[in-house]
Amino acid sequence: MSLLNNVIDHALDDGYAEATARRRAEGGALPKPLRAKLGLAAGLVLAAAVVTVGAAEARVSAPVVAKERQELIDRIEGDTRAADDLERDVERIRAEVGERQRAALEQHGGDQAELVALLSGATPVRGPGVKLVVDDAKGSDSGGGGPRESAGFSDTGRVRDRDMQRVINGLWESGAEAVSINGQRLTSLSAIRAAGDAILVDNRPLVPPYTVLAVGDGQRLSTAFQDSADGQYLHALVENFGIRSSISTEGELSLPAAPSLIVRTAEPRGAGAAKPSGGATADKGKATS
């Protein structure tokens, strides 16, 4: 009974009693929850003031920023148009130089003017021949393998520059009289190189599939190429790496003239001399690496 009486007489423990006495001694100060709420309210008011001031400054500076941005866009567009105009001028002048060189070859080539113009790529060519299409393996552009790093075969189904070099060289050696890749005429000075995964012909990028046209005796050229070491190399690419290839004989092919010619040798015509006054001579040659 004494325990029950003690619980009834002392319902609050000593801790609560001490806290109540302390609050009374402080003279009625604000409770802690109320102080916390007032502090939070003050913080929110300060944050709202900062956001409001920032928004006002942004509205004031927005027209200036937009004006500067538009001026920059106008400068970029103007410089781009100027660069495009210069590029068109370069192409026009390059085409004019090429036309004059071709005319000089045809005019001063002597008895072999037509042959010289043909072998140097100075004139368009029409005639029978073969059409060879070489393309990457299916799915080879998915990033699943790096370029072949050795001189032989390796781990990718992408056509490399050295593959096209061997294909072109094999066609020349098999009797092709004129060759083009994707509409670009090749000469004895043409270079087939790589820039990353891209194949360049005379510094111009090619996009697969690579369509090779070769003018010559169609059936004989096709047979000679497929039986050659380079033809067997292409066949090995097809068998081992899934590179796609097809070859067919064509009754009529049309190849354009080379976009530009380089005159390496020119001699003035002497008095009574029978040889031509100048021109470039070129033999069928191999694509350089």
Side-chain angles (χ1 to χ4, degrees):
M1 292 299 293
S2 61
L3 178 61
L4 293 176
N5 291 332
N6 185 48
V7 170
I8 293 172
D9 293 338
H10 302 281
L12 296 176
D13 58 16
D14 295 339
Y16 283 110
E18 291 176 2
T20 302
R22 198 164 45 247
R23 283 197 296 271
R24 289 175 180 174
E26 291 174 354
L30 291 174
K32 287 185 178 179
L34 182 57
R35 289 200 301 270
K37 291 180 180 179
L38 291 176
L40 178 61
L44 292 176
V45 170
L46 179 60
V50 171
V51 172
T52 302
V53 172
E57 292 181 352
R59 280 197 300 269
V60 171
S61 60
V64 177
V65 174
K67 182 179 179 182
E68 293 177 350
R69 181 175 181 273
Q70 188 59 45
E71 289 178 352
L72 181 59
I73 292 175
D74 293 340
R75 287 179 56 189
I76 293 174
E77 292 178 349
D79 292 343
T80 301
R81 287 192 295 269
D84 292 341
D85 292 339
L86 290 175
E87 185 175 355
R88 283 191 291 268
D89 290 341
V90 169
E91 291 296 330
R92 177 180 54 80
I93 295 173
R94 182 181 289 120
E96 182 179 349
V97 171
E99 288 296 333
R100 293 189 179 187
Q101 288 179 342
R102 282 187 282 270
L105 283 173
E106 294 176 359
Q107 181 179 357
H108 303 293
D111 296 337
Q112 294 185 332
E114 184 176 352
L115 178 60
V116 169
L118 170 65
L119 298 181
S120 63
T123 58
V125 177
R126 297 178 65 88
V130 298
K131 176 181 178 181
L132 175 63
V133 180
V134 182
D135 198 1
D136 296 336
K138 290 183 178 180
S140 61
D141 56 350
S142 60
R148 291 196 288 277
E149 306 200 357
S150 63
F153 305 130
S154 186
D155 60 350
T156 181
R158 300 197 65 162
V159 179
R160 313 307 298 175
D161 57 328
R162 59 177 171 269
D163 302 332
M164 294 310 301
Q165 290 171 14
R166 293 202 60 167
V167 168
I168 298 304
N169 292 338
L171 288 171
W172 283 125
E173 293 176 354
S174 299
E177 299 175 6
V179 180
S180 70
I181 303 179
N182 288 10
Q184 186 168 337
R185 179 78 172 274
L186 300 179
T187 69
S188 61
L189 302 177
S190 295
I192 300 177
R193 297 188 177 93
D197 286 335
I199 297 179
L200 307 181
V201 174
D202 293 335
N203 295 323
R204 300 189 179 209
L206 301 181
V207 178
Y210 307 105
T211 301
V212 181
L213 303 180
V215 172
D217 187 335
Q219 189 58 49
R220 182 180 300 176
L221 178 58
S222 175
T223 302
F225 172 74
Q226 295 182 71
D227 292 340
S228 68
D230 297 315
Q232 294 300 314
Y233 174 88
L234 179 59
H235 180 71
L237 291 181
V238 173
E239 291 295 323
N240 292 281
F241 299 100
I243 286 178
R244 291 168 287 178
S245 173
S246 64
I247 187 170
S248 60
T249 58
E250 303 290 334
E252 184 73 17
L253 295 175
S254 178
L255 277 62
S260 62
L261 298 174
I262 300 176
V263 178
R264 295 295 182 89
T265 304
E267 296 180 3
R269 173 179 295 179
K275 57 185 177 181
S277 61
T281 61
D283 296 325
K284 289 184 291 184
K286 295 186 176 182
T288 58
S289 59

